[in-house]
Amino acid sequence: MSLSQDPPLPQSAPRAPSRFATDEPDRFPGWRNLPRRSRGLSLRTLVILRWMAIAGQTATVAIATLYFHFDLPLWGCLAVIAASVAMNLNATARLKRTDGSLPDGRMTAAHLGFDILQLSVLLALTGGLQNPFCLLLVAPVTVAAASLPGRQAAFMGLLVLVATTTLFFFSMPLPWQAGTELNLPPLYRFGIGLALFTGVIFTSAYAWRVAADAEKLELALATTQDVLQREQRLAALGGLAAAAAHELGTPLATIQVVARELLRASAKGGSAAEDAALILQQAERCRDILKRLSQQPEDGDSAFAEVGLKALLEEVIEPHRGFDLDFQVDVRTASGEPAPRVRRLPEVIHGLSTLVENAADFAGSRVRVRAIVDAGFIEIEVVDDGPGFPADILPRLGEPYVTSRPQGKARRALAAQIAASVAAATPGRKARKGAAAPEPEAIAPSQGGMGLGFFIARTLLERTGGKVFVGAGDGGKGQPRGARVAVRWPRPALEIPS
């Protein structure tokens, strides 16, 4: 068994929260959970942007001093620009030691914060809000809104608003030509500050929304590519299944013939006769499975007929009874209404059967299959009392060739059982002195799998409109945790309209 996360719990069936539960991507309870725009900018991009800013600041100071002969605090301005140069040289040295092409959100926030402070000090030395270049304070906030998570982008915006307020009250006079002094009225400076406030908020919100739309498109493209890749894998597995059904037909017929001969040659009621009968039963089941794999259902086939929800669950678990496990089937409906009739889709039958088989493999004594019917959905959950999902495979659950079954265990157990049967059927063979007969190891229904079952089951179930979730079972303290896999469909996807 494997999958992704716990579904939201219906009000009619409260449960304890699972440690595997995560927020759904389209639900964010507060601003702290706003979707991330990206992971920031790369260090190389930040270095290039700062060199451009340094070049522009240096050119502006040089032209104002040498061409217009403005009375600037030249050494103070050069010191502030030199601080930015030192910051960039340090970043360049770091760029040579690390891979600067990877984005880093915290580093981006730190560099943008430095740029805001550096520009604010430079503006304070050259007139504050009277300086027309104060408009450049909008740039770092726009970059932050487009590339950083909400909390960091909001902090950058707050930093610019604080800098704007400070520049309104504390700044040196605006440099002007010698012998003249330009003092703008406070009301005009207030208007400049208000315009900066408005510009910061508007441009940040605009950049945020544009980045959010771009992120949604990127996510949709990635999801589409993932679904397409899974469909391609499933198509390849379908061809492999058809070839396997053809190739396995002959050896399976041979097994049945030999098993029938063993059954006729064995004493009635003996252990050998029971083993031969079990082999025949399982071989017949394999033949039915191969037959279903090799045929294409036609329109109007009984496989697409309607069936009661509980009857569907009984059909799913019926092939897995008989392995010393207690299978429990339960259907819960809202307000005690009768269980709906649903479509008997082969994808649902096969997918749920795989989930039940996986639960039977790992269960200790009990497997529960429960259907929960609410006003808007139908949910079917499979819960076992086994050890639960290993933590090391949780991030890769649902991928092909991912399994936690011990490889080769079934083959070793089968060899031990065959050896024990041969020894019991050969009374003339003497055992070594002091050698105890090995106790045959019980074989679970399908140990030693390749990890394809759940991948195929999830793809088939999602193709019918269901969403698959995973979590811990109902095991209490001191008991095996167990595992729980649930599939949820909108009611119209499964229910037959009355």
Side-chain angles (χ1 to χ4, degrees), residues 307-321 327-332 339-340 342-344 348-349 352-353 356 368-373 378-382 487 489 494:
V307 67
L309 183 56
K310 188 166 185 179
L312 176 70
L313 301 184
E314 292 285 357
E315 180 182 355
V316 166
I317 69 171
E318 183 60 32
H320 309 288
R321 294 189 185 273
F327 285 89
Q328 302 175 0
V329 179
D330 184 23
V331 177
R332 295 185 179 181
V342 296
R343 296 178 178 88
R344 188 182 176 277
V348 174
I349 297 292
L352 293 178
S353 180
V356 173
R368 187 184 74 234
V369 181
R370 172 185 295 170
I372 302 173
V373 182
I378 296 176
E379 177 181 310
I380 298 177
E381 62 177 14
V382 181
V487 189
W489 294 268
L494 280 187

Side-chain angles (χ1 to χ4, degrees), residues 73-250:
L74 182 60
W75 293 110
C77 293
L78 293 179
V80 174
I81 297 174
S84 187
V85 171
M87 181 73 172
N88 230 25
L89 291 176
N90 179 66
T92 303
R94 182 181 177 185
L95 187 61
K96 296 179 180 179
R97 298 191 302 267
T98 60
D99 185 5
S101 62
L102 298 178
D104 188 332
R106 292 185 178 181
M107 180 188 65
T108 301
H111 280 257
L112 291 177
F114 172 82
D115 291 337
I116 292 172
L117 293 177
Q118 188 261 359
L119 181 59
S120 299
V121 173
L122 194 59
L123 288 173
L125 294 174
T126 55
L129 296 184
Q130 299 181 87
N131 190 328
F133 288 101
C134 65
L135 181 64
L136 294 176
L137 284 172
V138 177
V141 185
T142 305
V143 174
S147 62
L148 292 178
R151 184 161 46 187
Q152 296 176 354
F155 179 76
M156 294 297 106
L158 180 62
L159 187 61
V160 169
L161 297 182
V162 171
T164 302
T165 304
T166 304
L167 290 175
F168 178 80
F169 293 101
F170 306 101
S171 65
M172 297 181 65
L174 178 67
W176 206 247
Q177 294 178 343
T180 59
E181 183 176 350
L182 180 63
N183 287 320
L184 298 177
L187 182 60
Y188 183 84
R189 290 189 290 115
F190 176 79
I192 294 293
L194 185 61
L196 272 179
F197 268 66
T198 305
V200 166
I201 295 174
F202 176 78
T203 56
S204 299
Y206 183 81
W208 178 273
R209 290 304 309 166
V210 170
D213 291 342
E215 185 183 39
K216 290 179 181 178
L217 290 176
E218 182 181 358
L219 179 60
L221 177 61
T223 303
T224 303
Q225 291 175 341
D226 179 68
V227 171
L228 178 60
Q229 187 178 27
R230 279 198 287 152
E231 292 294 336
Q232 291 172 343
R233 291 178 183 176
L234 190 62
L237 290 174
L240 179 62
H246 176 73
E247 296 293 335
L248 291 175
T250 300

Side-chain angles (χ1 to χ4, degrees), residues 4 18 31 47 54 85 90 101 115 117 143 198 245 259 263 292-293 298 303 310 348 351 383 420 497:
S4 63
S18 168
W31 72 273
V47 168
I54 290 172
V85 171
N90 179 66
S101 62
D115 291 337
L117 293 177
V143 174
T198 305
L263 183 60
R292 288 198 300 269
L293 287 175
E298 302 293 337
K310 188 166 185 179
V348 174
V383 182

